[in-house]
Amino acid sequence: MSAKKQILPTLILAAMAFGAVAGCVAPGKSAGPRTEVTLAPLFCDHAVLQRDKPVPVWGRAGAGDAITVSFRGQTVRTEAGADGRWTASLPPMSASVQPADLVVQGQSTVTLHDVVVGEVWLCSGQSNMEFMVDDHNFYRARNPEMEVAAANYPLIRQLKVEHTVASAPAETVKTSGWKAATPENVGGFTAVGYFFARDIYHAIGVPIGIIDSPWGGTPVESWMSDEARKSTTLAATIDERWKKSLSEWDPERVARYPADMEAWRKAEQNARATHTKNPLPWPQPPATNDSPYLPGGLYNAMIAPLQPGALRGILWYQGESNTGHSGEYAELFRTMIGSWRSTFRQGDVPFYFVQLANFGD
């Protein structure tokens, strides 16, 4: 993979990182005759809600339960469907740095503390977006110690989505919970997202939330819904290529992959420390049903559970993993952008992307 500098407005971007952390979301559960209220993964303590547009809040409860959602003096009511799913929509709100509780009541009550209102950006793609401000064991931004020490931005907050693959759209996904940009936390922030958020914060002075949902080394078709992929002229080609990959990965080769990746990581870490070149080729993930290369697998697991969350826009940094079939990218990427806008249900939200520098030949 490459690590070329690219420019978004007021933003220098870098490349490559790995890792994920566990989160704050649980599926609906029963406690005797009572069904607990649960919320979608965007809704945890310290959340940032999008200003100036309706804010959907959703989750699970008992079938037919009456649900109320209260925040900053506003209360909206809805009812869970026969399957227990419910959605309520808070009316548009102005930005506010003053924290407040968001309270959801059904048969049980869930209270989220320290919730603010500002701008929310979804950050996705491959390792270029996953690259952290300061990963002590792997890649690091320039002057990481200085960046970490200077990170005193309690109103810039990140929600990191855990690496997950699914064969069908999921309702929920594990996350880190919302964390503020402080010296204790900012090293684990997406570098692209953090520097973007910091510049925006200085420009407009409202809370900024970044949802960090990338996975290194992944192709664009993993981030497309099955419906979106099948709407392209390339659907049959992609599906046939995936079937061929599945046939090429025998059980022995699959079992060897973790050791190959660990060896590559150690060699890469040493190469970085000694300013030399990694002698080992990057080991491609196995083609299995839980592979991040599964067409649609990352959309289903890491994007669908976030929809229809209210956003200001999307940041995207990806492309190297499609260079072997670069002639396909224009149609796939255009289709992906349109489908994400459609499924987030907020019209043509801004979609910023990095145009990659030349890669290989």
Side-chain angles (χ1 to χ4, degrees):
M1 299 183 190
S2 65
K4 299 286 186 180
K5 291 183 181 179
Q6 303 294 336
I7 304 298
L8 283 176
T10 70
L11 182 63
I12 301 250
L13 308 180
M16 299 189 76
F18 298 84
V21 281
C24 63
V25 181
K29 57 183 179 180
S30 295
R34 188 172 79 162
T35 302
E36 304 289 336
V37 172
T38 60
L39 302 181
L42 295 181
F43 304 105
C44 305
D45 289 346
H46 319 299
V48 181
L49 304 182
Q50 178 59 46
R51 66 171 174 172
D52 298 337
K53 62 171 64 177
V55 177
V57 181
W58 71 98
R60 283 269 191 171
D65 284 358
I67 304 294
T68 62
V69 179
S70 302
F71 182 67
R72 304 191 69 86
Q74 303 181 101
T75 297
V76 294
R77 294 174 172 82
T78 189
E79 184 177 293
D83 60 359
R85 298 180 186 181
W86 59 267
T87 302
S89 185
L90 292 167
M93 299 170 282
S94 299
S96 176
V97 302
Q98 296 300 319
D101 287 350
L102 189 155
V103 181
V104 180
Q105 292 180 297
Q107 292 187 43
S108 64
T109 299
V110 177
T111 301
L112 308 184
H113 303 293
D114 185 32
V115 178
V116 294
V117 182
E119 304 275 73
V120 181
W121 290 84
L122 172 60
C123 304
S124 190
Q126 60 181 105
S127 59
N128 317 69
M129 184 64 79
E130 200 168 15
F131 180 92
M132 297 183 219
V133 173
D134 184 14
D135 181 344
H136 294 287
N137 299 314
F138 209 47
Y139 300 108
R140 311 171 81 185
R142 184 176 296 172
N143 300 318
E145 294 85 1
M146 180 187 72
E147 296 292 357
V148 168
N152 183 24
Y153 298 99
L155 294 176
I156 297 176
R157 302 174 182 186
Q158 173 178 277
L159 182 80
K160 186 171 182 63
V161 175
E162 183 173 297
H163 283 177
T164 317
V165 179
S167 58
E171 282 189 48
T172 192
V173 64
K174 290 183 179 180
T175 76
S176 64
W178 287 94
K179 297 186 182 300
T182 64
E184 293 75 24
N185 299 326
V186 80
F189 278 39
T190 159
V192 172
Y194 171 66
F195 293 127
F196 179 90
R198 190 177 66 181
D199 284 356
I200 296 301
Y201 177 77
H202 284 308
I204 63 179
V206 304
I208 307 293
I210 49 178
I211 303 167
D212 183 24
S213 190
W215 191 325
T218 55
V220 69
E221 56 265 33
S222 294
W223 296 100
M224 299 174 68
S225 67
D226 290 344
E227 181 182 11
R229 184 182 75 256
K230 290 175 182 177
S231 74
T232 70
T233 64
L234 299 162
T237 300
I238 293 169
D239 292 348
E240 187 60 35
R241 186 185 304 146
W242 177 245
K243 289 179 183 177
K244 183 174 183 294
S245 295
L246 286 172
S247 70
E248 292 172 346
W249 280 85
D250 59 73
E252 182 180 342
R253 187 182 175 196
V254 172
R256 197 168 58 242
Y257 171 75
D260 290 344
M261 175 53 79
E262 183 59 26
W264 182 87
R265 283 176 181 266
K266 289 180 178 179
E268 185 70 15
Q269 190 174 357
N270 181 67
R272 291 269 167 169
T274 58
H275 304 287
T276 57
K277 185 177 180 179
N278 188 339
L280 300 178
W282 181 73
Q284 181 175 320
T288 61
N289 289 329
D290 59 357
S291 166
Y293 274 52
L294 174 69
L298 301 186
Y299 170 83
N300 289 335
M302 298 177 65
I303 301 299
L306 311 177
Q307 297 171 337
L311 306 173
R312 173 57 65 209
I314 298 165
L315 306 180
W316 177 259
Y317 197 169
Q318 186 273 341
E320 294 94 335
S321 290
N322 287 92
T323 54
H325 308 281
S326 56
E328 300 173 356
Y329 198 78
E331 181 182 359
L332 295 175
F333 190 37
R334 280 199 307 270
T335 302
M336 193 202 83
I337 293 172
S339 69
W340 281 25
R341 284 173 165 167
S342 174
T343 48
F344 273 101
R345 306 176 198 169
Q346 293 162 71
D348 290 344
V349 295
F351 196 112
Y352 288 90
F353 62 92
V354 179
Q355 182 173 338
L356 298 176
N358 289 354
F359 183 67
D361 295 331

